[in-house]
Amino acid sequence: MKLGLRVLLGFFVINGIAAFIGLRLFVAEVRPSVREVMEDLMVDTANILAELVRDDLARMPATGTLEASPFAQRVRDYANRPLDAKIWGLAKRTLDYRVYVTDAKGRVVFDSGFRGSPSAVGTDYSQWRDVALTLSGRYGARATREVHTDETTSVMYVAAPVRSGDTVMGVLTVAKPMSTVQQFVSRAEREILVRGAALLGVSALVGALITGWLVWSVRRLRRYAQGVQLGQRLAAPRLSGELGELALAMEDMQQRLEGREHVEGLVRALTHELKSPLTAIAGAAELLRDDLPAADREIFSEQIQTQSVRLRQLVERLLELSKLEHRRKLEAPARIDLAACLHAAQAAAAARALQRGVAIDVAIERAMWIAGDAQLMQMALSNLLDNAIDFEPAGGTVLLALRAAGQQAVISVRDHGIGVPEYAMPRLGERFFSMPRPVVAGEDTPNKGSGLGLAIVRQIIELHGGTVEFADAAPGLRVELRVPLA
């Protein structure tokens, strides 16, 4: 199972369990909370009515009832009042209090009853908890189910003592069925479930977004690590938190490894490249110790000078390439006029081209600009022109052209020389890989380059976000630089 699915599944499991337990607790608390609020209101109601019935109960004969008392008439009037109330969108059309009064012995002397239920006047209620506890001086309340297995049939009873001074003359009890508030309870439960489900959905969405961000960040790190493994020059992804610190640590590790591999490879290649000119210099120097004719001495002296120049050029190009390879990006890219870069490179190579008897022809389709470093672009073009001039036959023309291809500028340099074998094409641009130059008049052997010129070109173009392509021009070689237009 992939990381994203594991994280998302774990989040859903934890979130689902927490939501289930939370909703169960909320729903379980609705009914008790409603009962508590109802009981509080009924306590106030019972005590108010106890004060109102006190005088009527005090005047009642010992064996009489309150059926004909003003209090009884007012309670009956209350029960018969028409009602159509809207309570937060829910309709209430009945008055649901039952009120009964007992004397000091617990005998019912008044009972308003529920709608359609028989009166309990004359019945002994002294054993009911609400009456018994109140007559004993304690708080009296009870809840009785009309159907034992159905909680919705429960009726709450709250009693208050009817006093004359410190004497308890009787008990007034207010009763209210739980079914009368069931619609409010059901609505509250529905609201909790609906809002809980919405909250669960929102939290699931947040979890999915967080998981998506985490997976996206990890995949960026994976792509970066895979690119480094393949030898690509990539900048570490910029991430926040611990993942960002990990990316920076990976980048630092990559740079350290690259630095070590770079030095090792450079030393091996440099040793190989330096061997030939150093051998030539050492041989010429040894021969110069002997007594030689002036002509031979001149030849060997010139050989030492030629190889010294070759060594100097090798070191200079190697240093330049090393600097380019350690640059991740252009520090301050500016708007570059490519046409101006081509003319500047042509002017810089003019003397060498003239020396070799080669012309440089520049063809510019239209003015174009890119974002980059003009000095580096001119260096890349100069290296390409130097290579092309080396391979161009005397009297030939090197073609330097600029054209547009979609959103890219294409710079091409073509010579008409011996070209490059097909097997060698993929290796063009590698450090120290080069093909033998044609024999120049006055030289006995072909001149072999260092292989650093095209490597420098490739590094510069990659810094500009472009690519280098090589193609057989038959005859000769065409090199194309493709760079995004600004």
Side-chain angles (χ1 to χ4, degrees):
M1 184 182 294
K2 293 188 176 181
L3 175 64
L5 291 177
R6 291 180 181 179
V7 174
L8 195 60
L9 181 60
F11 178 84
F12 280 156
V13 169
I14 295 173
N15 197 38
I17 292 174
F20 176 76
I21 294 175
L23 289 176
R24 285 291 298 271
L25 289 175
F26 273 113
V27 172
E29 286 295 319
V30 170
R31 293 179 186 274
S33 298
V34 171
R35 293 173 67 95
E36 291 166 3
V37 173
M38 280 182 57
E39 186 170 349
D40 179 75
L41 295 174
M42 291 171 68
V43 167
D44 290 343
T45 303
N47 280 276
I48 291 174
L49 294 178
E51 289 298 319
L52 295 176
V53 78
R54 180 181 58 188
D55 293 340
D56 288 349
L57 187 60
R59 290 193 295 268
M60 185 189 72
T63 58
T65 66
L66 294 177
E67 290 296 308
S69 66
F71 174 80
Q73 186 58 44
R74 296 295 178 268
V75 172
R76 293 191 185 97
D77 291 343
Y78 147 79
N80 293 322
R81 289 175 65 90
L83 181 66
D84 186 11
K86 296 291 185 181
I87 304 175
W88 295 95
L90 296 178
K92 179 176 175 62
R93 294 187 173 87
T94 60
L95 297 167
D96 306 304
Y97 273 144
R98 175 192 177 189
V99 180
Y100 61 80
V101 181
T102 69
D103 57 17
K105 295 181 179 181
R107 183 176 64 88
V108 178
V109 296
F110 170 75
D111 182 13
S112 67
F114 289 126
R115 293 181 181 274
S117 61
S119 174
V121 173
T123 306
D124 183 7
Y125 273 17
S126 61
Q127 299 304 312
W128 290 107
R129 283 179 55 84
D130 57 314
V131 177
L133 291 173
T134 304
L135 289 176
S136 65
R138 291 177 288 174
Y139 169 62
R142 65 184 170 93
T144 303
R145 294 182 182 180
E146 296 179 357
V147 178
H148 183 69
T149 58
D150 188 358
E151 186 182 0
T152 62
T153 64
S154 178
V155 180
M156 292 183 62
Y157 297 83
V158 175
V162 181
R163 291 190 178 93
S164 177
D166 294 332
T167 303
V168 176
M169 297 185 298
V171 176
L172 182 140
T173 297
V174 176
K176 187 176 182 65
M178 280 294 296
S179 59
T180 60
V181 294
Q182 182 59 40
Q183 59 178 339
F184 299 100
V185 174
S186 298
R187 183 176 68 174
E189 291 176 342
R190 285 195 304 271
E191 286 290 327
I192 291 175
L193 291 174
V194 170
R195 293 178 184 272
L199 179 62
L200 180 62
V202 171
S203 62
L205 177 61
V206 172
L209 292 175
I210 293 175
T211 301
W213 174 84
L214 179 62
V215 172
W216 172 76
S217 301
V218 172
R219 286 179 177 173
R220 288 186 67 190
L221 283 175
R222 184 183 66 182
R223 286 194 297 269
Y224 171 68
Q226 291 173 339
V228 171
Q229 183 182 14
L230 296 174
Q232 299 175 357
R233 297 178 59 189
L234 302 174
R238 295 296 176 252
L239 304 171
S240 59
E242 288 82 356
L243 290 177
E245 294 174 2
L246 176 60
L248 293 177
M250 291 175 64
E251 183 178 37
D252 182 64
M253 180 175 64
Q254 176 204 4
Q255 291 175 354
R256 289 175 182 271
L257 291 175
E258 282 183 350
R260 180 178 299 176
E261 293 175 357
H262 177 75
V263 170
E264 291 176 354
L266 192 61
V267 169
R268 288 195 299 268
L270 188 58
T271 301
H272 175 76
E273 290 297 320
L274 292 178
K275 188 182 299 183
S276 177
L278 286 176
T279 300
I281 291 173
E286 185 176 350
L287 291 172
L288 285 174
R289 291 179 180 178
D290 300 333
D291 188 11
L292 298 174
D296 292 340
R297 185 176 296 276
E298 180 68 23
I299 291 173
F300 292 130
S301 298
E302 184 178 349
Q303 184 176 1
I304 291 175
Q305 183 179 5
T306 300
Q307 296 301 327
S308 298
V309 171
R310 180 181 174 188
L311 286 176
R312 186 182 70 250
Q313 292 176 344
L314 177 65
V315 171
E316 288 175 351
R317 286 195 167 186
L318 194 58
L319 290 174
E320 190 63 44
L321 178 60
S322 179
K323 288 192 294 183
L324 289 171
E325 287 179 337
H326 282 84
R327 290 179 69 172
R328 294 289 172 183
K329 60 181 181 178
L330 297 174
E331 300 300 330
R335 189 175 170 85
I336 301 174
D337 183 352
L338 286 180
C341 287
L342 264 66
H343 287 304
Q346 180 192 25
R352 190 160 182 272
L354 182 62
Q355 183 182 8
R356 296 291 300 269
V358 173
I360 301 175
D361 184 21
V362 178
I364 298 176
E365 182 180 84
R366 62 178 175 84
M368 299 179 205
W369 289 265
I370 64 170
D373 187 313
Q375 186 176 0
L376 289 180
M377 285 299 299
Q378 289 176 19
M379 181 188 299
L381 294 175
S382 294
N383 276 282
L384 285 181
L385 285 176
D386 285 345
N387 274 359
I389 290 170
D390 283 345
F391 282 93
E392 184 68 32
T397 301
V398 173
L399 303 179
L400 176 61
L402 172 64
R403 62 183 176 85
Q407 296 300 313
Q408 289 184 323
V410 180
I411 303 172
S412 64
V413 178
R414 182 195 171 179
D415 64 69
H416 300 80
I418 59 176
V420 176
E422 185 178 352
Y423 72 86
M425 283 286 189
R427 297 197 60 188
L428 292 179
E430 291 183 13
R431 285 180 304 184
F432 302 114
F433 177 81
S434 66
M435 301 299 297
R437 267 66 170 166
V439 177
V440 180
E443 296 182 2
D444 297 329
T445 57
N447 179 30
K448 187 175 184 296
S450 65
L452 297 178
L454 291 181
I456 290 174
V457 172
R458 186 183 293 277
Q459 292 295 327
I460 291 174
I461 298 305
E462 287 181 356
L463 284 173
H464 285 78
T467 58
V468 182
E469 298 177 2
F470 303 95
D472 186 4
L477 177 73
R478 178 185 293 109
V479 184
E480 289 190 348
L481 313 180
R482 295 178 177 268
V483 187
L485 289 169

